[in-house]
């Protein structure tokens, strides 16, 4: 992930001093990667996925936003002061979400990346949700239940997109498994601010 | 899941009055199932997986226990008073784990099932870990990070076993996806006692 591939997206602060600091040590992070079985092959497959997905990002986001938008219990988290979905908020987050797909495929798992995982986690909790976009919202945080449950839609829905560029079944499987590991690893990191330090 | 398929396993208390009561309402549970995209097709595929896996359970547990046993940071949670892995504890949990595979494939998602999910969640926290087997352990709870991260090994390692009975690629995929949803749904439920009620 090189500096030059990071476009200027409102509120996207990876690598800047505004970002929170991850409490995870290198040793702890190594054990986490080991636990989700993330190895060099997976990193190679993530890079392959990055190429495969690069021109499909808006279509992927249409699927994810379609799912959120058609579920009142989910779109609730995007509501503004009037209790209705806030289009500006949805749009701003969507741009950062697009970048997240690229970052997930390009991740080098360095400190800047780890710190930004902590930042994204906080942005799902009452510590930082709504702040980046200056929103007044009746939803102060994303409930942990949906954060974890979302591993499924964010993983399962990616497969058709991975299959669209004529790769072998083995390569599609490899990319899919690598994506699954990468998403689960990130949700694990994002869960940290939800619990007492001793329980994480 | 009929009463008759439940063998007598030490500490396995599904459907008994000793089990904790799930705080999840029916409406909340319906939304969770919707969020992990769990539908009737998945339930049918879980039943198919139950047949496919029924005579492979010890082999599956060998893989999972092999993974835990070869990782000091994981086997630690099975240590007894002397700080070493407790063979009696490992063996007792293994029997309940075998039953869990059967239960996951046979789940009808009723109240008894939901209550037992809450019970299993508690058995991973300091509220109930070590109690069932009367253990004195230096590990008072499973850290949430590994509970979530384990979605990967518990899911990814099942695929070869699902492929072993000559089912079509489409059926293996269907069983695999249903298993993924079922595991993620359960880990979501198990995370409840880790956080403040307002954050779950
Ligand atoms: C696998 C689970 C999830 C993934 C991968 C994910 C991904 C993301 C990403 C990449 C961002 C933008 C981060 C940034 O600011 O750079 C974000 C923000 C956000 N997500 Fe999620 N998300 C997940 C679960 C959820 C769920 C379940 C909801 C609830 C519907 C949700 C609602 C939001 C909202 C409202 C924001 C904006 C937060 C803010 O005010 O800054 N997310 N998410
Ligand atoms: C996907 C994640 C996991 C699944 C599906 C799972 C499954 C289970 C099951 C079915 C049981 C027995 C429940 C019963 O008493 O009927 C159990 C207990 C246990 N698990 Fe997990 N587990 C997971 C994560 C972990 C992790 C990461 C560890 C740490 C290595 C762990 C360590 C234990 C221990 C020590 C017990 C015994 C708890 C007690 O004292 O009662 N589990 N698990």
């Amino acid at each position: 992930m090189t500096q030059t591939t990071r476009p200027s997206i409102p509120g996207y602060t990876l690598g800047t001093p505004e970002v929170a600091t991850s409490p995870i040590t290198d040793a702890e992070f190594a054990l986490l990667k080991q636990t989700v079985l993330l190895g060099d092959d997976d990193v190679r497959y993530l890079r392959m996925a990055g190429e495969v997905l690069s021109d499909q990002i808006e279509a992927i986001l249409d699927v994810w936003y379609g799912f959120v938008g058609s579920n009142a219990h989910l779109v609730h988290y995007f509501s503004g002061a009037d209790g209705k979905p806030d289009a500006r908020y949805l749009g701003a987050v969507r741009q950062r979400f697009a970048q997240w797909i690229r970052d997930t495929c390009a991740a080098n798992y360095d400190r800047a990346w780890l710190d930004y995982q902590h930042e994204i986690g906080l942005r799902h909790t009452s510590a930082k949700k709504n702040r980046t976009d200056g929103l007044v919202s009746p939803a102060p945080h994303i409930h942990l239940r949906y954060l974890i449950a979302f591993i499924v839609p964010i993983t399962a829905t990616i497969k058709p997109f991975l299959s669209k560029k004529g790769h072998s079944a083995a390569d599609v499987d490899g990319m899919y498994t690598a994506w699954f590991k990468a998403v689960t690893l990130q949700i694990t990191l994002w869960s940290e601010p939800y619990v007492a330090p001793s329980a994480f």
Side-chain angles (χ1 to χ4, degrees), chain A:
Chain A
M1 193 158 56
T2 60
Q3 207 64 35
T4 52
T5 63
R6 283 182 207 145
S8 155
I9 293 167
Y12 176 72
T13 53
L14 193 153
T16 72
E18 292 121 83
V19 171
T21 304
S22 171
I24 306 287
T25 66
D26 289 347
E28 288 177 316
F29 184 52
L31 292 178
L32 260 189
K33 282 195 285 188
Q34 207 170 309
T35 309
V36 298
L37 307 168
L38 189 101
D40 294 341
D41 277 359
D42 297 298
V43 172
R44 270 190 296 277
Y45 274 125
L46 284 174
R47 302 294 184 262
M48 188 186 288
E51 283 173 40
V52 168
L53 301 179
S54 66
D55 65 352
Q56 304 189 78
I57 288 184
E58 290 306 316
I60 296 166
L61 290 172
D62 284 346
V63 170
W64 291 345
Y65 269 69
F67 177 61
V68 169
S70 62
N71 278 283
H73 70 288
L74 298 175
V75 80
H76 161 73
Y77 295 100
F78 287 94
S79 49
D82 62 359
K84 291 185 193 139
D86 184 303
R88 196 182 54 81
Y89 186 41
L90 281 158
V93 176
R94 185 175 167 125
Q95 277 187 275
R96 300 199 295 275
F97 216 132
Q99 184 58 28
W100 176 83
I101 297 175
R102 291 187 280 266
D103 287 352
T104 295
C105 294
N108 58 8
Y109 304 116
D110 61 5
R111 267 292 133 192
W113 182 89
L114 267 174
D115 286 344
Y116 203 59
Q117 299 316 305
H118 193 57
E119 175 74 22
I120 300 181
L122 288 169
R123 289 184 185 187
H124 284 84
T125 71
S126 46
K128 288 208 170 176
K129 185 177 181 292
N130 307 322
R131 298 242 181 126
T132 302
D133 304 293
L135 198 76
V136 175
S137 171
H141 55 241
I142 313 297
H143 291 95
L144 180 66
R145 72 181 78 180
Y146 296 130
L147 190 73
I148 300 175
F150 246 51
I151 294 173
V152 172
I154 295 290
T155 299
T157 57
I158 207 78
K159 199 156 190 188
F161 295 101
L162 294 172
S163 323
K164 268 199 188 131
K165 298 288 166 83
H167 289 73
S168 70
D171 277 349
V172 171
D173 251 27
M175 290 187 278
Y176 183 64
T177 300
W179 177 265
F180 172 31
K181 293 173 181 179
V183 170
T184 305
L185 177 65
Q186 290 184 67
I187 299 312
T188 300
L189 293 169
W190 300 359
S191 75
E192 196 274 344
Y194 282 86
V195 289
S198 64
F200 177 69

